[in-house]
Amino acid sequence: MIRKIANGVYNVGAIDWERTLFDEIVPLPQGTSYNAYLVKGEKKTALIDTVEPEKLEQLLDNLEELKVDKIDYIVSNHAEQDHSGSIPYLIEKYGAKVVTNAKCMGFEKDLLHLKDEDFIIIKEGDTLELGGKTLKFIMTPWVHWPETMTTFLIEDKIAFTCDFFGSHAATSHTFAEQYDRIYHEAKRYYAEIMMPFRQIITRNIKKIEELEPKIIAPSHGPAYSDPTFIIDAYKEWTSPDTKNEVLILYVSMHGSTKKMVDALVDYLGEEGVEVKVRDLTTANLGEIAIDMVDVTTIILATPTMLAGPHPYAVYAAYLANALKPKAKFIGIMGSYGWGGRTVDILKENLGALKVELLEPLLIKGLPRKEDYEKIKDLARIIADNHREAGVLK
Ligand code: FEO
């Protein structure tokens, strides 16, 4: 399926309706797409990014339909194989040169076994003339690897941003139309792979805004004919502002920790604090990640098992540590039978986070009346913290 973006500019990439998992861990409830953009100049033709090799046939069919028999340049914005994996075949078939930055070249020599002579190396601000269409290269690192860059088509004011501003969403729409759906999928995508690089991304957003694009065309999901929609969403997610929300990630073996969670939810409600609750036995990475984007407080609730936290709680702590959400407070609570290192082990797994750790609340066995008072105190402390953070009036 060919999707026209502008005169002489087509999305010739592949839609992957069936894919359910990315990186063997990230769920894809809406499938995904690998967008590859053909830009036809009067003299030269460029392809911006390619597709996951499994979907190469879709790309080749689209190129054939457009009667493309020569590709001069493959612009590679990002070395990850869902965008670069088909490059070796396309070099072979079309005799194209790969246009990218030096860091990306290094990765592609390792990942795809390309050779020095396959590349034309560009740097920040360089341009490539195709004849009536000029590509300009803007370095936008860490969206999502250190080598990532954006290609800007000057005449049509189109920013090809690869993963940046993308969404894992299979759709036959060329441009985003179902805004609620795409907002959610783009937020999930941001949460899963970009959240750890929030501050660098803020600078990258500014660089893209300065280009004053009319269209943003990422390499996953639909393009945006209204760039402010996705730029504003990214500004919201990357800003230091959090919401009056607590995310409780819990696992409970025999119900004691669950009773603590239920009580905390009730008490936080009485304090006027919004709560999201995820059972770690069923929640997937995408759901946990998206929930983390703008909460002020995260609570890890776990029973003590084998003298430490339940492995699912360790997973949640590890995930929070890796994704680095902007939450300001983290708490640990749970029930234990006879002791253990639950708090120490979870703390060790949260070491990279610049958060205030709340006083942990561990209780022995099934909560008693006095334990519920302690949970109520915890809810009060959280509400006070939220007031101090300015998110609760
Ligand atoms: Fe869509 Fe980081 O690759």
Side-chain angles (χ1 to χ4, degrees), residues 3 8 14 22 26 38 49 66-67 131-132 161-162 171 177 192 201 218 232 254 277 280-281 290 319 321 323 331 369:
R3 283 154 285 167
F22 201 86
V26 176
L38 189 79
D49 293 325
L66 285 170
K67 302 189 182 355
T161 52
C162 202
T171 170
E177 291 180 20
E192 289 161 347
I201 292 174
D232 287 350
H254 300 291
V277 182
L280 289 166
T281 64
I290 199 170
L319 204 56
N321 203 50
L323 293 177
K369 196 163 170 256

Side-chain angles (χ1 to χ4, degrees), residues 245-258:
E245 290 176 350
V246 174
L247 172 61
I248 302 177
L249 301 170
Y250 82 93
V251 53
S252 184
M253 295 191 297
H254 300 291
S256 299
T257 299
K258 178 69 163 62

Side-chain angles (χ1 to χ4, degrees), residues 78-355:
H78 177 24
E80 195 168 12
Q81 293 92 327
D82 50 327
H83 310 291
S84 71
S86 297
I87 290 177
Y89 180 88
L90 295 170
I91 291 177
E92 191 76 22
K93 182 172 168 72
Y94 293 102
K97 290 283 182 195
V98 180
V99 178
T100 193
N101 60 73
K103 197 169 271 182
C104 189
M105 175 178 80
F107 288 158
E108 290 180 347
K109 282 164 69 179
D110 290 336
L111 297 172
L112 306 171
H113 293 177
L114 298 185
K115 303 181 188 66
D116 284 334
E117 57 268 31
D118 293 323
F119 291 92
I120 296 171
I121 296 303
I122 50 81
K123 51 188 189 319
E124 176 82 45
D126 282 356
T127 56
L128 182 68
E129 186 56 56
L130 305 179
K133 296 215 184 273
T134 314
L135 301 177
K136 184 173 182 180
F137 305 104
I138 320 293
M139 300 304 126
T140 44
W142 294 107
V143 288
H144 114 253
W145 286 0
E147 88 298 3
T148 44
M149 65 180 203
T150 288
T151 300
F152 186 58
L153 174 52
I154 293 174
E155 290 78 3
D156 298 276
K157 297 185 92 53
I158 303 172
F160 300 96
T161 52
C162 202
D163 282 347
F164 194 18
F165 301 127
S167 60
H168 280 312
T171 170
S172 48
H173 291 143
T174 303
F175 293 99
E177 291 180 20
Q178 303 153 301
Y179 281 106
D180 286 352
R181 175 191 174 206
I182 298 304
Y183 177 92
H184 187 78
E185 293 311 319
K187 185 174 184 181
R188 176 200 296 273
Y189 191 64
Y190 162 82
E192 289 161 347
I193 66 167
M194 303 211 182
M195 191 154 61
F197 315 112
R198 205 161 50 84
Q199 270 145 13
I200 299 172
I201 292 174
T202 305
R203 293 199 285 277
N204 288 335
I205 295 169
K206 199 157 178 281
K207 279 177 126 177
I208 300 298
E209 268 193 308
E210 282 166 5
L211 297 170
E212 299 182 352
K214 281 191 181 151
I215 292 172
I216 288 181
S219 292
H220 295 292
Y224 304 94
S225 55
D226 172 13
T228 54
F229 162 73
I230 194 66
I231 287 177
D232 287 350
Y234 260 70
K235 281 184 180 171
E236 176 197 336
W237 304 329
T238 54
S239 84
D241 301 339
T242 56
K243 294 184 177 162
N244 177 28
E245 290 176 350
V246 174
L247 172 61
I248 302 177
L249 301 170
Y250 82 93
V251 53
S252 184
M253 295 191 297
H254 300 291
S256 299
T257 299
K258 178 69 163 62
K259 279 188 183 296
M260 295 177 71
V261 168
D262 289 344
L264 183 62
V265 170
D266 288 350
Y267 297 143
L268 284 170
E270 288 166 15
E271 294 286 343
V273 177
E274 298 282 328
V275 189
K276 297 173 179 174
V277 182
R278 291 281 181 194
D279 177 348
L280 289 166
T281 64
T282 53
N284 67 45
L285 182 147
E287 291 165 338
I288 297 171
I290 199 170
D291 281 349
M292 282 182 184
V293 171
D294 33 32
V295 296
T296 300
T297 303
I298 296 171
I299 299 289
L300 298 173
T302 176
T304 291
M305 179 193 193
L306 302 173
H310 191 287
Y312 285 153
V314 178
Y315 167 73
Y318 181 87
L319 204 56
N321 203 50
L323 293 177
K324 298 185 179 59
K326 56 189 175 185
K328 294 174 168 56
F329 307 96
I330 288 201
I332 296 167
M333 62 186 254
S335 164
Y336 67 97
W338 54 88
R341 294 188 60 242
T342 292
V343 171
D344 289 345
I345 292 170
L346 287 178
K347 271 189 189 172
E348 283 161 18
N349 279 279
L350 294 166
L353 294 180
K354 292 191 180 82
V355 290

Side-chain angles (χ1 to χ4, degrees), residues 54-71:
E54 269 179 22
K55 297 290 172 188
L56 177 60
E57 207 176 316
Q58 277 191 51
L59 170 64
L60 295 176
D61 286 350
N62 290 337
L63 292 172
E64 198 177 312
E65 204 177 321
L66 285 170
K67 302 189 182 355
V68 174
D69 51 17
K70 176 102 172 79
I71 294 174

